[in-house]
Amino acid sequence: MTRPLEGPAWRVVKSGQPEMNLEAIEGALGQGLVVGVLGGFRAILADFLWIRTNTIWERRDRVKMDAMVRLVTTLDPRPEFFWINGSRMIAYDVPNWRIREEGGYSEVPEARQRAIDLEQSHQAFDLLDEALEFHPDRAKLYLEKGQIYLNRLKDDANAAKWFLQASKQADAPYYAARIYAELLRKQGKNAEAYTYLKDLHRELPNVPYAQKGIILERIRELENTLEIPFWERFQAVVEPVLEAPRKAPAFDVPEPHDHAGHSH
């Protein structure tokens, strides 16, 4: 299916760099390719090689896929799409492939499955850390690390750290802070979550996407759990609902749920 795209794309690249060929580029990552020689063709070549990366992903060739992801991000580190989707392939898809290769989930011991998950997750973290060197203020990269800790490694403590970091970025979606508070609760840190949510409720604008009503519900739940005396309970200020631009992530995946029964 990709052949009709590959041919014209490669002809464009070769018209500017006729001495190059695809095999040389694909093998260049391990040979110290000097990407400066590509000039303005770097973005074109990166897009083209991403198409090839997806073809390799479909073949489940994890070694070549990993090399291609790193080559694409080296050629053009500007698109966050390459970093995020590359890390997802490494953290989510490759562990499944490896476990199936070793006999499947019913045959591979849980300890071995956990070891594979850890190995692949840390490879994805390395890729995202490199992405953060180019994009240190992008919330979605911090969120991606938090999601891997939460969804793949089931590590609430480390996930919380990254959701907190994400919530501090200028482009952070409102749900990042709410998930951080929920992860505190899951760890039994109810007093810390209570203080955090009270401060969050005071700081957020009263716009629909901030969902201050949900935050207040969770504050009340924690007051009951912590047995806060009635006269010491949080007093919410009633504010008019404002119209404001949506503060939501530019994501290509549905937003996660941060509490049972509540979506973002």
Side-chain angles (χ1 to χ4, degrees), residues 13 25 39 43-44 72 77 97 130 145 158 172 191 200 237-238 243 260:
V13 174
I25 293 295
I44 296 173
V72 169
W97 301 347
E130 188 176 347
K145 291 194 75 169
N158 276 308
L200 182 64
V237 177
V238 179
E243 291 294 331

Side-chain angles (χ1 to χ4, degrees), residues 80 84 88 128 131-132 134-148 159 161-177 179 247-251:
E80 296 159 10
I84 288 174
R88 289 175 183 172
L128 290 167
L132 284 167
F134 292 96
H135 309 285
D137 57 350
R138 298 298 288 160
K140 62 178 67 176
L141 296 172
Y142 295 92
L143 285 170
E144 201 63 39
K145 291 194 75 169
Q147 295 276 25
I148 293 172
K161 295 176 184 177
W162 289 100
F163 277 101
L164 178 60
Q165 287 296 316
S167 73
K168 295 178 179 179
Q169 307 309 310
D171 66 338
Y174 289 120
Y175 73 75
I179 292 180
K247 186 181 182 184
F251 271 56

Side-chain angles (χ1 to χ4, degrees), residues 19-230:
E19 73 280 8
M20 292 185 174
N21 58 67
L22 180 59
E23 289 72 23
I25 293 295
E26 287 184 340
L29 186 62
Q31 299 171 16
L33 172 69
V34 179
V35 295
V37 302
L38 294 170
F41 293 96
R42 288 173 59 178
I44 296 173
L45 184 57
D47 289 341
F48 167 69
L49 290 178
W50 186 257
I51 296 172
R52 291 297 299 265
T53 301
N54 278 275
T55 302
I56 294 166
W57 172 80
E58 290 174 354
R59 296 202 302 263
R60 300 185 179 183
D61 185 341
R62 60 186 177 89
V63 175
K64 192 168 186 179
M65 186 200 75
D66 183 73
M68 289 290 282
V69 166
R70 296 182 184 281
L71 177 55
V72 169
T73 53
T74 298
L75 286 170
D76 191 0
R78 295 168 299 174
E80 296 159 10
F81 175 89
F82 293 153
W83 299 103
I84 288 174
N85 286 279
S87 69
R88 289 175 183 172
M89 292 175 179
I90 294 167
Y92 296 104
D93 296 325
V94 174
N96 293 333
W97 301 347
R98 292 179 62 183
I99 291 168
R100 290 192 182 102
E101 288 169 4
E102 294 185 19
Y105 283 89
S106 61
E107 300 296 328
V108 177
E110 289 188 9
R112 175 58 181 160
Q113 294 181 32
R114 176 70 177 176
I116 291 172
D117 282 342
L118 283 169
E119 181 181 340
Q120 293 302 143
S121 294
H122 283 290
Q123 288 185 26
F125 293 151
D126 288 343
L127 187 67
L128 290 167
D129 286 341
E130 188 176 347
L132 284 167
E133 294 179 8
F134 292 96
H135 309 285
D137 57 350
R138 298 298 288 160
K140 62 178 67 176
L141 296 172
Y142 295 92
L143 285 170
E144 201 63 39
K145 291 194 75 169
Q147 295 276 25
I148 293 172
Y149 273 115
L150 182 62
N151 298 323
R152 194 73 203 185
L153 299 181
K154 314 302 180 186
D155 184 341
D156 293 341
N158 276 308
K161 295 176 184 177
W162 289 100
F163 277 101
L164 178 60
Q165 287 296 316
S167 73
K168 295 178 179 179
Q169 307 309 310
D171 66 338
Y174 289 120
Y175 73 75
R178 294 200 303 273
I179 292 180
Y180 170 67
E182 285 304 295
L183 290 170
L184 291 177
R185 293 177 66 179
K186 286 183 68 177
Q187 297 173 76
K189 298 180 178 180
N190 291 325
E192 188 175 342
Y194 180 56
T195 300
Y196 181 81
L197 286 172
K198 287 191 297 179
D199 291 341
L200 182 64
H201 192 278
R202 294 187 188 102
E203 294 167 2
L204 287 176
N206 197 26
V207 296
Y209 286 104
Q211 297 199 21
K212 294 183 72 170
I214 289 178
I215 294 171
L216 185 57
E217 288 177 10
R218 297 178 187 176
I219 288 171
R220 298 298 181 228
E221 291 171 2
L222 284 165
E223 287 174 336
N224 292 331
T225 300
L226 295 167
E227 299 181 344
I228 304 294
F230 178 77

